[in-house]
Amino acid sequence: ARLRIGGQARRRARLIERRLPYTLDLVSLSMGAGATFVEAVDTITRDDPNDPFNEELRAMMAEIELGKPRREAMLNLAGRVPLETLRSIVTAIVQAEALGTPLAEVLRIQANLLRLQRTHRAEKLAGEAAVKLLIPSVLIFVAVVITVFSPYIVRFVRGELY
């Protein structure tokens, strides 16, 4: 049961991590169109209520509606979801609010950074895959060469080639 729950938790975290840049983009676009942060998050969570990240955002919104400061609710969100990327985004948002930086711009920058990290990780995995495929490819090539040239090798060893 523990392994199954751990697997489900990892799967949920992967889904949240995959959804994160797109959600940040939608929130920043909504805020750029004039919505507040709370309105933007509320709009996004209504579109797909079964998405794991939207569930976490709704929990954060419930905390805000019950009177918790947005900073504390966001830090609780970062504590509930075991993703370093989400923690860094929450930290950036909290700092932006403290310094008075436009939140929509911070969210847009964070979404771009997440996409760059994902692209870098995909390129790294593609490079590793090429190296991992090299050894089986060489073995198959050697097997094909031996198969094609084995009759000539047998004739040469017997002295029947000339």
Side-chain angles (χ1 to χ4, degrees):
R2 263 185 153 182
L3 292 174
R4 187 173 49 119
I5 292 172
Q8 288 175 346
R10 284 188 296 278
R11 195 173 318 114
R12 180 179 170 87
R14 274 195 315 271
L15 287 171
I16 290 173
E17 189 171 24
R18 192 175 300 142
R19 177 73 187 227
L20 197 54
Y22 305 110
T23 302
L24 290 177
D25 274 338
L26 289 174
V27 171
S28 70
L29 286 172
S30 295
M31 290 180 72
T36 65
F37 178 77
V38 172
E39 292 169 343
V41 171
D42 187 48
T43 302
I44 290 166
T45 57
R46 275 188 277 131
D47 287 342
D48 189 7
N50 295 327
D51 181 62
F53 189 48
N54 287 348
E55 290 174 2
E56 293 297 334
L57 288 175
R58 276 199 316 277
M60 179 191 73
M61 295 301 295
E63 288 180 12
I64 292 172
E65 289 171 1
L66 290 172
K68 278 194 179 177
R70 182 167 54 182
R71 177 183 187 277
E72 187 177 332
M74 293 189 80
L75 291 172
N76 289 342
L77 169 70
R80 281 192 309 269
V81 180
L83 291 175
E84 189 58 40
T85 54
L86 184 61
R87 281 191 207 105
S88 66
I89 289 168
V90 167
T91 303
I93 291 171
V94 168
Q95 286 178 349
E97 286 182 339
L99 298 173
T101 308
L103 192 54
E105 186 63 29
V106 170
L107 293 174
R108 191 175 302 115
I109 290 168
Q110 290 294 321
N112 288 337
L113 285 173
L114 287 176
R115 271 193 284 285
L116 283 173
Q117 288 174 351
R118 183 182 292 178
T119 302
H120 178 68
R121 189 171 49 240
E123 288 173 354
K124 179 182 172 189
L125 289 173
E128 290 174 1
V131 171
K132 289 178 182 177
L133 287 174
L134 184 64
I135 293 173
S137 298
V138 168
L139 291 175
I140 290 171
F141 179 73
V142 168
V144 168
V145 167
I146 289 173
T147 304
V148 169
F149 291 110
S150 63
Y152 297 109
I153 295 170
V154 170
R155 286 185 189 160
F156 178 75
V157 169
R158 289 183 181 171
E160 301 172 354
L161 191 61
Y162 297 107

